[in-house]
Amino acid sequence: MSKIATLEIDGKKYEFPVIIGTENEVAIDIEKLRSETGYITMDPGYKNSGSCKSDITFLDGEEGILRYRGYSIEDLAGKANFLEVAYLLVFGELPTKDQLFQFEEDIRKHTLVNEEMKKIVEGFPRTAHPMGILASLTSALTAFNPKPVNVENEKEMYQAVCKTMGKFLVIATYTYRKSMGYPLNYYDNTKGYVENFMHLMFELPTGPYTPDPAVVDALNKLFILHGDHEQNCSTSTVRMVGSSHAGLFASISAGVSALWGPLHGGANQAVLEMLEEIQANGGDADKYMAKAKDRNDPFRLMGFGHRVYKNFDPRAKIIKKAADEVLATLGVDDPILQIAKKLEAAALVDDYFVSRKLYPNVDFYSGIIYRAMGIPTEMFTVLFAIGRLPGWIAQWKEMRINKEPIGRPRQIYTGYELRDFKPMDQR
Ligand code: ACO
């Protein structure tokens, strides 16, 4: 039975349909609100506003549930590989063995990046933040691939997905090679996608490089965990930019910029810097807990809290376990992991954090694993972006296929009323 929500303004009643999702999430459909009442809604930060219907990811922040296309994140992180999950996110179903083989094969056809891109990389200072370079290079790919994709043509869309997956991984590693003064590397089509990340990053012309299989396994898991997270800041940005019918590379570039911020994906870098600072100051976790709780101190416990999760972030649970495993396998004894565990234990019983439902999020432990793998701190958010890429593509594709209108919020104007122009000599 369909539900109706009733709104009363100045004694007049208006009815709005209620939308119910597969998991019984409910929304009041206010599409006709302004045309019927003259009112708009006000919801800074979109804490209560749905922007779309989506079939891709289900997230229950109260229960700590995350599913891609109906599959639990626990199952996917434990049983699948990253490209399998990328395929699932973008095309809606887990691939068969043949489909997965073909997908990998088709991505390999697009792993060569135009050599002219190297000139753009040369122009950046070596000290530039990798996320800034990545956003610019992703946008620059538009110049080398100017033909817009026809989203309704399945074959064209498939090619665009493979092209984006292939080239993005390569340019993501350019940022590190540039910072180190190493020659830019080429994708090795004899190796797998995740293994190639390590190869692209660390293989030098002076000798062969074989990544530790435990590192590749952990990376595979981390990329899956970052695969999609419904309408978060960067994904909403990708959908918003794409809603003007800007191309896939331009939209993804905007997503990279949104992800960069420390309140979003940039938190993984900020967490490690915070843990290093605590360590450098004698490891006094209590002092930093007190700072985080002090309203007059802008310090926040990075890696804690989430707009949607008001329970444990299921990804953080998996990552915490992976951190223990990876560090043990690699024989790394990192005192920073102990500080992180101390902070977490303290926060989980502290009234400030408990009452605000602030739990560790995906970024709290991921940096510790990246650090054990030898990945520099400034690259952490780039790894997040590589993992999130299939989610961004899937959401962009869905938005275009569903023919969503251009994203254009309204506002309540609070500035001056009409006033007379003041000539220069009277100001
Ligand atoms: N440390 C200390 N206090 C916090 C923290 C934190 N990490 N996070 C939230 N709070 C407090 C706020 O000060 C606020 O307190 P108040 O009610 O007394 O004013 C309350 O908890 C609610 O916080 P908001 O900022 O209103 O919550 P919002 O949903 O807007 O923000 C966010 C969520 C941005 C993730 C926030 O928790 C935060 O800044 N966390 C640290 C950064 C971080 O780890 N970001 C990564 C998120 S995961 C991701 O994007 C991949």
Side-chain angles (χ1 to χ4, degrees):
M1 206 181 66
S2 58
K3 268 185 165 182
I4 297 284
T6 309
L7 174 72
E8 189 173 326
I9 306 173
D10 297 334
K12 193 167 172 206
K13 286 187 177 163
Y14 303 88
E15 288 190 336
F16 298 96
V18 169
I19 300 172
I20 306 176
T22 339
E23 295 287 343
N24 293 322
E25 290 171 301
V26 281
I28 302 166
D29 177 355
I30 56 159
E31 232 185 305
K32 299 217 165 78
L33 177 70
R34 188 170 177 277
S35 59
E36 288 185 4
T37 68
Y39 282 71
I40 61 166
T41 55
M42 181 59 75
D43 188 19
Y46 311 117
K47 290 191 179 190
N48 309 281
S49 293
S51 58
C52 60
K53 291 183 196 163
S54 178
D55 294 346
I56 304 169
T57 290
F58 173 67
L59 200 170
D60 183 330
E62 273 72 33
E63 297 295 326
I65 293 172
L66 174 60
R67 293 182 203 142
Y68 301 161
R69 304 278 189 188
Y71 296 101
S72 81
I73 193 64
E74 291 80 7
D75 259 1
L76 292 170
K79 297 176 186 162
N81 79 40
F82 178 56
L83 284 192
E84 214 177 334
V85 173
Y87 188 99
L88 170 73
L89 283 168
V90 177
F91 301 109
E93 295 295 341
L94 284 168
T96 61
K97 203 171 167 195
D98 287 350
Q99 283 169 328
L100 182 60
F101 177 82
Q102 197 56 49
F103 188 44
E104 274 208 59
E105 197 58 20
D106 293 330
I107 288 174
R108 283 191 195 112
K109 290 179 193 148
H110 295 284
T111 49
L112 205 56
V113 174
N114 193 305
E115 287 288 305
E116 302 261 16
M117 287 279 282
K118 289 187 175 175
K119 291 186 194 151
I120 304 176
V121 179
E122 268 168 35
F124 287 103
R126 272 179 62 178
T127 50
H129 194 284
M131 284 297 276
I133 304 183
L134 181 57
S136 309
L137 293 182
T138 309
S139 195
L141 283 175
T142 314
F144 297 94
N145 301 273
K147 193 174 168 290
V149 53
N150 174 2
V151 288
E152 276 161 36
N153 180 325
E154 256 180 56
K155 211 168 148 201
E156 260 192 52
M157 194 59 228
Y158 177 78
Q159 294 297 333
V161 173
C162 295
K163 190 184 269 188
T164 310
M165 290 291 295
K167 297 196 191 308
F168 190 80
L169 185 74
V170 179
I171 60 170
T173 62
Y174 279 2
T175 62
Y176 168 71
R177 307 283 295 193
K178 164 85 193 183
S179 73
M180 298 299 287
Y182 295 154
L184 304 183
N185 212 356
Y186 293 91
Y187 193 98
D188 179 345
N189 278 353
T190 65
K191 297 187 169 83
Y193 190 84
V194 177
E195 193 183 354
N196 250 292
F197 170 76
M198 295 301 281
H199 157 80
L200 282 158
M201 287 277 288
F202 297 118
E203 183 166 70
L204 298 176
T206 43
Y209 169 81
T210 312
D212 190 319
V215 167
V216 176
D217 271 5
L219 260 184
N220 182 62
K221 195 173 280 195
L222 282 161
F223 286 157
I224 292 173
L225 292 174
H226 288 90
D228 192 49
H229 213 234
E230 51 118 301
Q231 307 312 316
N232 58 84
C233 177
S234 56
T235 301
S236 302
T237 302
V238 169
R239 284 184 91 123
M240 173 72 98
V241 173
S243 77
S244 74
H245 293 195
L248 186 53
F249 288 132
S251 307
I252 301 266
S253 161
V256 171
S257 298
L259 187 72
W260 187 1
L263 298 188
H264 189 16
N268 57 11
Q269 175 179 339
V271 168
L272 210 94
E273 286 165 353
M274 173 187 80
L275 294 173
E276 280 172 343
E277 190 188 317
I278 299 176
Q279 188 191 27
N281 285 298
D284 185 357
D286 295 342
K287 184 174 131 196
Y288 285 84
M289 285 287 290
K291 271 166 76 66
K293 294 191 283 181
D294 181 355
R295 278 182 163 272
N296 300 316
D297 190 327
F299 176 80
R300 280 191 163 195
L301 201 56
M302 300 312 285
F304 260 80
H306 197 276
R307 169 58 62 80
V308 182
Y309 289 120
K310 302 301 167 197
N311 195 330
F312 245 93
D313 179 338
R315 302 166 302 173
K317 278 192 198 164
I318 302 172
I319 292 182
K320 183 181 178 183
K321 193 159 164 268
D324 280 330
E325 286 164 6
V326 173
L327 268 62
T329 312
L330 299 180
V332 175
D333 181 16
D334 193 341
I336 277 205
L337 179 62
Q338 299 318 321
I339 296 177
K341 285 188 172 170
K342 217 165 126 184
L343 271 179
E344 181 190 328
L348 291 178
V349 294
D350 188 291
D351 188 49
Y352 175 94
F353 288 88
V354 174
S355 63
R356 287 171 180 76
K357 300 193 168 124
L358 301 170
Y359 291 88
N361 59 47
V362 67
D363 294 317
F364 193 64
Y365 282 106
S366 59
I368 293 170
I369 308 184
Y370 295 148
R371 187 165 118 122
M373 291 172 177
I375 291 163
T377 315
E378 285 210 330
M379 282 295 288
F380 290 1
T381 316
V382 171
L383 272 90
F384 192 148
I386 295 170
R388 183 54 53 89
L389 182 66
W392 286 335
I393 299 173
Q395 301 269 355
W396 186 92
K397 178 170 165 269
E398 182 180 70
M399 177 271 307
R400 288 296 308 274
I401 285 178
N402 288 351
K403 295 191 173 32
E404 282 174 23
I406 186 166
R408 205 302 187 185
R410 292 249 173 197
Q411 64 163 21
I412 293 294
Y413 175 71
T414 55
Y416 289 107
E417 292 181 345
L418 179 66
R419 40 186 189 155
D420 290 334
F421 180 79
K422 236 185 222 174
M424 191 75 79
D425 59 358
Q426 288 171 29
R427 289 175 209 167

